[in-house]
Amino acid sequence: MSQTPGASRRERVREFLRRLGAAPAASNHDEAMKQVADVLNRVEDEMTSIPYDPTFPLNDGRMYPPKSDSKRSVPGLPGATRYRSKGHSTVIGDNGAIRIIDHSAGKVVFDKAGADGRLIDQGDRP
């Protein structure tokens, strides 16, 4: 059953992206995934009254971090892993880079380099 979310989803997404952008660059995949989860959960805890549910319901109104069962490789981008969610994908690089793609808009809405200064599609180039 859906609960009253508090702040709108748009406001929460905007705050999530702002905080994720302000966080230090991650140095590897696991660190980046933890950062995405921590920042998103913090935003949802602060801006909604919807409690976290580890069963990951799709209809409670809360946004949840990517789960490992949505993990896919990214053709043409070795060292990158895509996590497909409803309406978007989160791509995490082995170097800690983070890219979020909005499928409804067909565009990248967030792109952050890893600690090595490289974006998802920059690979091993200098």
Side-chain angles (χ1 to χ4, degrees):
M1 181 164 129
S2 183
Q3 298 182 22
T4 305
S8 73
R9 182 178 185 90
R10 178 174 288 195
E11 291 169 319
R12 293 171 4 238
V13 167
R14 189 177 5 240
E15 181 62 11
F16 164 67
L17 296 176
R18 185 192 72 73
R19 291 185 191 187
L20 191 59
S27 59
N28 60 52
H29 173 275
D30 293 345
E31 192 177 305
M33 282 294 289
K34 182 176 180 346
Q35 189 174 83
V36 168
D38 289 350
V39 170
L40 183 58
N41 285 328
R42 198 170 313 117
V43 166
E44 291 297 277
D45 288 346
E46 293 172 14
M47 297 181 74
T48 76
S49 60
I50 306 164
Y52 177 82
D53 182 344
T55 64
F56 191 72
L58 297 176
N59 62 351
D60 70 355
R62 184 180 174 108
M63 295 185 296
Y64 288 90
K67 291 185 73 168
S68 61
D69 64 355
S70 66
K71 183 178 181 176
R72 305 286 184 271
S73 61
V74 182
L77 291 177
T81 304
R82 178 176 71 105
Y83 296 85
R84 181 75 161 99
S85 300
K86 183 178 180 181
H88 72 278
S89 288
T90 302
V91 182
I92 305 290
D94 288 347
N95 68 335
I98 304 167
R99 176 174 287 168
I100 300 174
I101 303 161
D102 180 337
H103 295 294
S104 63
K107 67 179 186 175
V108 173
V109 296
F110 183 82
D111 213 6
K112 182 176 181 174
D116 64 0
R118 295 186 176 148
L119 296 169
I120 291 290
D121 56 358
Q122 290 180 314
D124 292 328
R125 290 182 288 170

